[in-house]
Every structure is written in structure tokens, then in C-alpha cells.
Amino acid sequence: MKKTRFALLVLLISAIAAVVGGYYAAEKRNQLLAPAKPAPLPSDLHSIANNWSWSQSSKDHPVVEAHAQDFRQIKDSSRFELGGVEMKIFSKAGDTYDLVRSKQAEFDQEVERLYSEGEVTIVLGLPADSPPPPGKRYVEIRTSGLTYDNKTGISATDRPVHFTLENGDGDSVGALYDANKRYLWMKKNPVIIGAGPQAGMRIRAGELMYYEAEQKVELRPWSKLERGGQGVEAGNSVVYLEDGNLKRVDAERGRGWDIGPDRQVHFQGDRIEVNFTPQQTLASASGIGGAEVVSQSESGVTKITGGRVDLEFRTPAGAAESELTAAYVRDHGRLESTPLAQNGTQAETKVLTAEVIQVEMRPGGRDLQKLQTHAPGRLELIPNQPDQWKRTLTAERMTAEYLPGNRPGSLRAAGSVFLRSDPPAAAVKAARPAGGAPQTAPALPRLTWSDDLAASFDPETGDIRELHQWNNFRYEEGMRRAQAADARFDAASDRVTFENRARVWDESSMITAARIVLDQQQDRLHAEGDVTSTHLGGISAAPHPGPTAVDSGSIFSPEKPVHATAQQLDSERHNHLLHYRRSARLWQDGNSIEAQEIEVDREKKTLRAAGSVISVLTEDDQPGGDSAPSGGQSEKPPASARPPGPRLVRVTSDSLVYTDQDRRAYYAGHVILKRERMLIRAAALEAYLRPQEQVENGESRIDRAVAEGKVEIVETPLEKRTPRKASAEHAEYYSNEEKIILRGGNPVLEQPGRGSTRGSELTYYLDDDRLLVNGRPGARSQTREKIKHD
């Protein structure tokens, strides 16, 4: 507030002091009232006079000059009546004077009291040595019923008081001035209306007290200041001056407003402190106790609350008004920003809480530029639409940058960062319709931790566009967990990218890679770079319920984890569909599958592999000597005939399709099967496996196998004999009987040293001399030959 806004206080003090000085001089007039004996006086008068004057001077300039057109002394009384009174009361320097005019005044010498029933006019600060400059406004006060008590130095009236100021006019009802204490009391409803540079200013209060010595003005029990769309009203207020200039204002229960065509600001506090610059513009302001600032513009509503709010202002060069530059919110600080709908959409409401919040304003003081917390803080993003996430962020420190128009631009958080993201209401409703059973997996909150976080916002909608967290990042959503050194979240696609030592796991799976991309919207996962994974439940969709289950799988047991490595992995439907690429390998204990690509559908319980496929099955996990039941006899060859350790079945091919329900493995393209004493080559091979819990030591994992297309079989007997060789277009192998059947393409069995045998169908047994031969069609013959060894 400028100096002229409170000039009334100083001017009124000077005016009342002038009146007091004039009245005080009246008690000495008795010494001067000794005129020549006139005509006889009326019986009620002691003396009369016309054009009476009196003055008093100091060493070098006058102190007071008094003139009256009429002077009368009441007979037998201490009262004097003065008419047409005019007094000049000079300043201490003698360069200015205050002029007091009254049509009628009465002075009681006994009680030393002066009273003017009629109108009194006081003009302050007139030049003593020259006429007043044309057009210059001087402070002028008009009242009536004015009493001056010389003993106390108090001037008072209960009548209306009107005053004209250099830059305004004012009124009050009743006034009192104590010349000794230099105290002014404007008793009732003082009103000041600005003029000139202060045009439009209006100041009101219940009463006003001015303490000249202390340079202090009190307004109570209420006060109100308005100018245009700006204003402040409060309870008791105290105004502090310095050299006549406004210095500080303290107000109780204050509230204010700044209403413009495109913005409204309201503020309040149990106590308000305002400080001014020497140029009488705002320097700073504080709201203490229940402080609140509410700003509403075309972009939305911003509300700041706290135990204390401190505002800082600056005055641009040449400007008459100051502008807000910064705000500090302390003691349970809270900033709430609610955006208005734009193009039918409304961004989330943002609520920031902390013990200390710093707010920096853009040039002009109307829009936010930067927010900072100087203590641990909490930021909530509250949905205003059903498709928005609710997010809650806590951290040791936060910094938010704003774009013009109070639009959020970026966010930075550091130290013990925790982010909770609750799914949109639309997703929750879709997962569980009203009155119905869940149709999809329940929408669960996402929890993340890190040391650092950065967020960017969409400049058009104000919604979060990307989240970036790094340093000790952790993630949790239901049973799914993740860790990485770095993570990025794309809000538009609902996609999270984990980088640098990334790991994702749940109750049945674990995946690690250099980079993992989690597509939440499509429920897909992409991993690349030294991928490793572990899955429970074999190739089933969930961990196996227990050892009593009927279907326990064949290639991989559901009772143990399956491990995998590759350079790339794509997972869908929450790891129910797994697609490994580039040097892929799956294994469990001694069983494994290698290929360029491997796909596992855990719902359909199928496995597909392509490109240089190598599958290995373990048939024994202990030496063969332990395979026979205690007290019984094994039907297999004695353990001493085989090397100790597990037997392996190795199959290479171009592709493999395995279905777990029927335990069927179909190999195609350049198939080679290697077993302990047998090798099979074919264009395709179909193998049916035994359930793992039914495979005893010494038994083959393959129950039966069917080979097609240029089949070649090489058998190496236990004894060190020359291998037998067989060929046909079709071959069948039955492991229980160790039997092989050859058909199609002129089957032939070559027995070194014994020649060869041909027939339309050949049946022979491994490690046995039996051979069954069927002739060609039309030749009904059967041959059985026992081959002797050399």
C-alpha cells in the first residue's frame, strides 16, 4: 500500500494538533482584552470587541496567529464567545502552517475548554511564505461540535467528520485527539476513498486509533481495504509506519481477494502480516495459523494451505504495483491443483503435502513455475475420469516444473521414492461386473520403489506421459515382482521397461535379462539380452498340485522347475505363452531342449521348437545296478554290461512339436535319435513318452516311436560285435519289448557276417537273435532265424 493510502492518519494528527494549539492560546487572551472604554455593554456581557487579533512568536518565526471578527465575554462568567474565528498554527520550522476556521466558538476559561457548535474547517500544511500553488490539494477537515480541553490536551467530537486528502476523501463519526500523548481516535466507521493516483481505493474500519509517537495505527474490531477487484478484510489490524511511510500491517482473522477477468485469488489466515518497500509497494506477506490461498483461472483451481504461508513480491522497474514471485508453505503444507476440463477431458487432481513447500511463480506473478518440497513429501494424483489411474508418490524431496497456464511439465523425486498406482475405476468394473463373477484377472495396485524418479506430463491434457525410476528400483503388482537398475513407464501404452540387471518374477516364474519390457495393457512381456528364466509346473500353466496327480508330464516334470536361456523371450497371458528366440535352451535336471526358437503354450500344454533342435531325455538317474527291485530280478541286461550313470536319449531335428496331454513328441526334418545302443535317422519321428512317475530305472522314457521317410537304424549290441543296420520307409519301436518293426520301401536288415534279410515287413528285437520276416504281397511266407555269433 502506498504512502498516500494512509496519509489520512498523519494529516488528521496534524489537523487536530493545530486545533489544540489554537485553543490553548485562547486562555491567554484575557491579558489582551483591555480595549478603550466603549459604549455601555449589554447587561449579559462583560466586554465585546470587533476585528480582534492575537499572535505569539518564537525567536525567529511566529507560533500562532489568531483572528476573530467578534469577541464577547459573558458577564459574571468565565466564558468567551468568538465569531468568525481564524487561526494559523505554524510548524516548528515555521515554513508551513495549519489553518483553522470556525463561524462560532466558545471558550470557558475556568475549565479551560473550547467548544465549537458549528462547523469547523481545518486545512493542513499550507505554505507560510507564498500563496498555495494553483490546483494543489491540501488536507482539509470539516466537522462540528468540537471540544478542546486545555488541561488534558484532548480535542473531541461525536459529530460526523469529513476530510479531504491529497489523494482521497474520507468520513467518520466522532473523533478524539490527545495532543500530549499524540494519539488520534476516529471513533466510528472511518471511511477513506482514494482520488488521483489512488482512485478507486476504499478503506473502512469499525474505529481507528493512531499513535504518533509509536508510528502505529490500530483498526478494530474490523477493517477492510478495497480497490477494484482487489481487497482485504480482517478483524483487528495494526499498521506500522516509518518516517510517515507504510512499513508493516498485522491483521487478525484476515482474508483477501484479487478478482480479475481471467483469474480469482482468495487468501486468508488467523493472522496476516504484510511488509512494504520504501516505494510503498508490497515486499512480503505472511498468513499464520489456518493460512489458505485459493487461485482460480481458466486452467483450474489451485489451493494452498498450511500453518504458515509466506509470500514474496517484487516491483518491476517503473511499475506501480508489485507482483508475487514466491511462496513458502510451512507446518502441514498442502497444495491442491484441480484442472478444469479441456475438450471434454479433465486431468487428475494433484495434491502435494509436506512440512515445507516452496512455490515459485512465473513473471507476472499469476502462474506457477516451480514447486519444491524441503522435507519428505507426498503427492497424490486423484482421478477425475473413470479411465485414469490414482497415483500416490512419497519421497524425501520433490521438484515440479510447470508450463504456462499452470500446466504441469515435469516432476523429479529423490530419496526413498515410493509410488502406488491404483488401476482405473473402468478397469476394476470391467474385471468384476456388478452382481457377477470376475471376468478377468482382478485389477491390482502397482507398487514401485527407487532412489530417484522423474515424470513428464502431456502438455495438452496434463496427464502423466512417462515415469522414469532408477537406482535400486523394485516393482510389485499382485504376485508379480520386478527389480532393475532402471525402469520407464509409458502411460499411453501402459508399458514398463526394466533395464540393467532386470528381473521379473511371480509365484511360478522368474525371468532375468539385460532388458525386459512389460506390456500391461496386452499382458505381454518381452525380454532380450542374456535371458534366463525359471518356471514351475513343467509346461503347464500353473505349478503342479502335488504328487498324487494323474498327469505328471513327460519331457519336464511339473514337480520341479524348468530353466531356460535365450537371447530373446516373448511372454503372453501372464507367462502362459512363452516364445524363446536365438540360441534358446530349456532344461530340467538332465532333460533339455535346444533350438533357435522354442515356444511353450502352458495352457494348451504344448511345446514347439524350430531350427537346429536338440532334445535330450534322461532315462536313468542312478547306476543300473540299483535299478532292480530288492529281492527281485531285472529283465534288463545286467548293470555290469552298461557303463554307470544315466542313459540319455538325444534327438536332433529341424523342428519339434510336443503335446503334454498325450505325451507325444513329433520331430521333423533330418531327425537323428541316439540312445544307448541305437541310432535312428529319418525324415520325421513321432515318439510317445511314458509318464515320469511310471519310468523305473533301466526303462526307456520312450514308450514307442514311429519313424517315417528313409529310415535308417543302427544297433550296437552289448557285446562288442559289429552293429546291425536296418532301413525302411517306416519303422516302429516298442521299448517294452525292445522291438522294431520295419515296413515300406523294401525293408532290409543287415547282419555283418550273416548277410542281409529283406521282406515286406521285418520285425526284430534289440539284444536278441530273433527276426520275423513277412514276404512281399502275394508271397505268404514267414521266416524265423536264429543268428549265431562268431
Side-chain angles (χ1 to χ4, degrees):
M1 184 181 299
K2 297 187 179 303
K3 174 180 177 180
T4 53
R5 298 180 186 173
F6 285 87
L8 168 64
L9 304 176
V10 178
L11 296 175
L12 281 179
I13 293 170
S14 301
I16 299 300
V19 174
V20 172
Y23 290 157
Y24 179 76
E27 68 177 346
K28 295 185 179 180
R29 291 193 184 111
N30 292 329
Q31 302 174 6
L32 304 176
L33 299 178
K37 290 185 178 181
L41 296 173
S43 61
D44 61 337
L45 296 178
H46 184 274
S47 62
I48 61 174
N50 293 322
N51 296 321
W52 169 85
S53 64
W54 171 83
S55 65
Q56 182 181 4
S57 300
S58 65
K59 294 181 179 180
D60 54 358
H61 63 78
V63 175
V64 60
E65 295 178 357
H67 302 274
Q69 294 178 357
D70 300 306
F71 169 82
R72 296 188 299 177
Q73 182 179 14
I74 308 299
K75 190 174 183 179
D76 299 327
S77 172
S78 60
R79 292 184 296 122
F80 297 89
E81 292 181 352
L82 302 173
V85 179
E86 181 175 291
M87 291 187 299
K88 294 182 179 180
I89 305 162
F90 291 86
S91 65
K92 291 182 178 181
D95 56 344
T96 62
Y97 67 90
D98 300 330
L99 179 63
V100 181
R101 294 190 181 100
S102 175
K103 291 183 179 181
Q104 193 73 32
E106 181 180 289
F107 180 72
D108 191 326
Q109 184 177 8
E110 182 178 351
V111 296
E112 300 183 23
R113 182 179 297 147
L114 178 71
Y115 175 73
S116 176
E117 172 64 23
E119 181 176 305
V120 178
T121 301
I122 306 170
V123 182
L124 304 180
L126 293 169
D129 299 328
S130 62
K136 179 175 175 58
R137 288 170 60 104
Y138 288 89
V139 176
E140 183 175 308
I141 301 170
R142 296 193 302 274
T143 187
S144 63
L146 181 69
T147 298
Y148 168 68
D149 190 325
N150 189 56
K151 292 181 179 179
T152 62
I154 294 177
S155 302
T157 181
D158 290 327
R159 305 277 181 86
V161 179
H162 177 79
F163 39 86
T164 300
L165 309 174
E166 181 182 358
N167 291 310
D169 297 276
D171 294 277
S172 70
V173 177
L176 181 148
Y177 178 72
D178 188 328
N180 296 321
K181 297 181 179 179
R182 298 163 66 186
Y183 161 70
L184 170 67
W185 174 24
M186 302 183 70
K187 296 182 179 181
K188 189 175 180 180
N189 299 330
V191 178
I192 302 173
I193 299 175
Q198 303 301 323
M201 178 71 73
R202 184 181 179 91
I203 302 174
R204 294 183 292 166
E207 57 181 332
L208 180 151
M209 286 73 67
Y210 172 60
Y211 303 87
E212 182 180 3
E214 293 88 348
Q215 289 283 281
K216 181 175 72 174
V217 178
E218 292 182 357
L219 303 172
R220 63 185 184 189
W222 60 269
S223 55
K224 189 171 185 178
L225 182 149
E226 296 176 277
R227 184 177 186 181
Q230 298 177 332
V232 176
E233 64 180 6
N236 295 334
S237 300
V238 180
V239 180
Y240 297 92
L241 305 175
E242 186 174 54
D243 297 330
N245 294 326
L246 193 61
K247 181 180 181 182
R248 190 174 89 247
V249 175
D250 292 348
E252 298 177 359
R253 304 182 306 279
R255 72 178 190 91
W257 58 90
D258 180 0
I259 300 175
D262 57 354
R263 186 168 183 255
Q264 296 184 16
V265 178
H266 297 268
F267 56 90
Q268 66 181 34
D270 296 341
R271 246 183 74 215
I272 293 179
E273 295 180 359
V274 182
N275 294 286
F276 296 85
T277 67
Q279 294 75 33
Q280 299 296 274
T281 58
L282 283 175
S284 64
S286 299
I288 303 169
E292 178 179 287
V293 179
V294 179
S295 172
Q296 182 173 351
S297 65
E298 295 179 352
S299 60
V301 179
T302 301
K303 182 178 180 181
I304 301 174
T305 60
R308 181 183 180 107
V309 176
D310 295 297
L311 307 178
E312 295 182 354
F313 298 84
R314 75 178 184 92
T315 304
E321 300 291 338
S322 58
E323 61 184 36
L324 180 65
T325 59
Y328 293 87
V329 190
R330 297 175 173 87
D331 188 13
H332 304 293
R334 186 177 191 271
L335 187 147
E336 178 178 332
S337 178
T338 304
L340 296 180
Q342 302 288 340
N343 301 322
T345 62
Q346 185 179 11
E348 305 98 328
T349 295
K350 300 166 182 66
V351 179
L352 175 64
T353 56
E355 282 300 301
V356 181
I357 302 174
Q358 178 182 348
V359 183
E360 296 182 17
M361 307 300 294
R362 302 187 72 83
R366 291 184 174 271
D367 291 335
L368 297 173
Q369 177 167 306
K370 188 176 182 180
L371 298 179
Q372 286 182 284
T373 65
H374 295 282
R378 175 188 179 94
L379 175 64
E380 295 180 82
L381 276 64
I382 303 173
N384 288 311
Q385 296 188 164
D387 60 343
Q388 293 173 336
W389 287 74
K390 178 182 178 182
R391 306 184 195 278
T392 303
L393 171 68
T394 60
E396 295 293 327
R397 297 290 185 272
M398 297 186 209
T399 301
E401 302 277 355
Y402 278 75
L403 301 174
N406 283 345
R407 295 173 298 160
S410 63
L411 172 69
R412 178 80 163 79
S416 303
V417 176
F418 170 69
L419 175 64
R420 176 188 174 112
S421 302
D422 290 281
V428 175
K429 184 177 180 180
R432 184 181 290 274
Q439 294 182 349
T440 62
L444 300 173
R446 297 175 187 167
L447 312 177
T448 60
W449 297 262
S450 64
D451 293 340
D452 297 277
L453 176 145
S456 61
F457 295 81
D458 189 301
E460 299 297 328
T461 66
D463 292 333
I464 284 184
R465 181 169 57 188
E466 183 184 71
L467 281 170
H468 179 202
Q469 288 185 256
W470 66 99
N471 291 336
N472 301 315
F473 173 80
R474 292 182 294 134
Y475 168 98
E476 179 179 318
E477 181 180 7
M479 299 303 294
R480 177 176 278 170
R481 307 284 194 273
Q483 288 183 350
D486 192 289
R488 294 181 183 271
F489 168 69
D490 188 317
S493 61
D494 199 10
R495 181 178 299 169
V496 186
T497 301
F498 309 104
E499 293 186 291
N500 195 356
R501 304 186 303 277
R503 180 161 65 112
V504 176
W505 72 96
D506 56 22
E507 71 279 14
S508 63
S509 301
M510 176 180 289
I511 300 169
T512 63
R515 182 172 184 265
I516 298 176
V517 180
L518 189 59
D519 189 332
Q520 310 275 23
Q521 203 170 67
Q522 303 295 328
D523 194 13
R524 294 176 177 172
L525 180 148
H526 173 80
E528 58 185 34
D530 297 326
V531 179
T532 65
S533 69
T534 300
H535 303 280
L536 300 180
I539 64 171
S540 300
H544 195 265
T548 60
V550 175
D551 183 10
S552 61
S554 295
I555 289 185
F556 302 121
S557 168
E559 307 300 333
K560 298 179 180 180
V562 175
H563 308 282
T565 60
Q567 287 302 309
Q568 185 173 309
L569 166 64
D570 287 287
S571 169
E572 299 181 21
R573 303 193 302 273
H574 208 74
N575 290 333
H576 286 182
L577 180 63
L578 302 168
H579 196 160
Y580 297 89
R581 294 182 177 89
R582 295 169 52 199
S583 304
R585 181 173 183 264
L586 270 65
W587 76 93
Q588 182 189 76
D589 295 335
N591 304 324
S592 65
I593 297 175
E594 298 181 34
Q596 287 303 306
E597 295 188 22
I598 300 176
E599 181 184 273
V600 178
D601 191 326
R602 305 181 75 196
E603 289 182 348
K604 296 180 180 180
K605 299 182 181 181
T606 62
L607 182 150
R608 299 175 181 271
S612 304
V613 179
I614 301 174
S615 69
V616 177
L617 297 176
T618 303
E619 296 191 333
D620 290 331
D621 54 9
Q622 293 182 7
D626 297 332
S627 64
S630 177
Q633 294 183 358
S634 173
E635 297 180 357
K636 301 298 178 183
S640 59
R642 303 197 309 266
R647 298 188 303 173
L648 303 179
V649 178
R650 176 187 173 94
V651 182
T652 62
S653 62
D654 294 339
S655 65
L656 163 65
V657 177
Y658 172 75
T659 55
D660 202 46
Q661 291 182 343
D662 54 9
R663 296 179 297 280
R664 173 180 175 270
Y666 181 77
Y667 300 88
H670 305 92
V671 179
I672 300 175
L673 182 150
K674 292 183 179 181
R675 195 167 170 260
E676 185 182 24
R677 300 182 309 281
M678 180 176 64
L679 182 146
I680 300 177
R681 288 189 177 90
L685 184 142
E686 187 176 38
Y688 293 88
L689 309 180
R690 290 190 177 95
Q692 285 200 1
E693 78 277 1
Q694 297 181 15
V695 179
E696 298 181 0
N697 287 339
E699 289 187 331
S700 172
R701 292 286 303 279
I702 299 176
D703 182 49
R704 65 187 180 92
V706 177
E708 299 282 353
K710 298 182 179 179
V711 179
E712 295 181 1
I713 302 175
V714 178
E715 177 203 357
T716 302
L718 287 175
E719 296 81 4
K720 296 181 180 180
R721 298 183 301 171
T722 304
R724 289 188 294 184
K725 299 180 180 179
S727 62
E729 283 297 311
H730 174 93
E732 298 177 12
Y733 166 69
Y734 298 89
S735 65
N736 280 342
E737 305 173 71
E738 293 289 354
K739 179 175 69 175
I740 296 177
I741 300 176
L742 305 175
R743 298 191 189 95
N746 192 22
V748 59
L749 175 63
E750 298 180 1
Q751 304 180 84
R754 300 289 186 177
S756 61
T757 304
R758 299 178 183 273
S760 60
E761 180 180 290
L762 301 179
T763 301
Y764 70 99
Y765 298 85
L766 300 176
D767 296 324
D768 202 329
D769 290 336
R770 290 180 296 164
L771 172 65
L772 301 179
V773 181
N774 288 337
R776 292 183 175 84
R780 301 178 61 188
S781 62
Q782 183 176 11
T783 302
R784 182 172 182 176
E785 179 182 359
K786 186 174 182 180
I787 302 174
K788 296 182 179 180
H789 298 284
D790 295 336

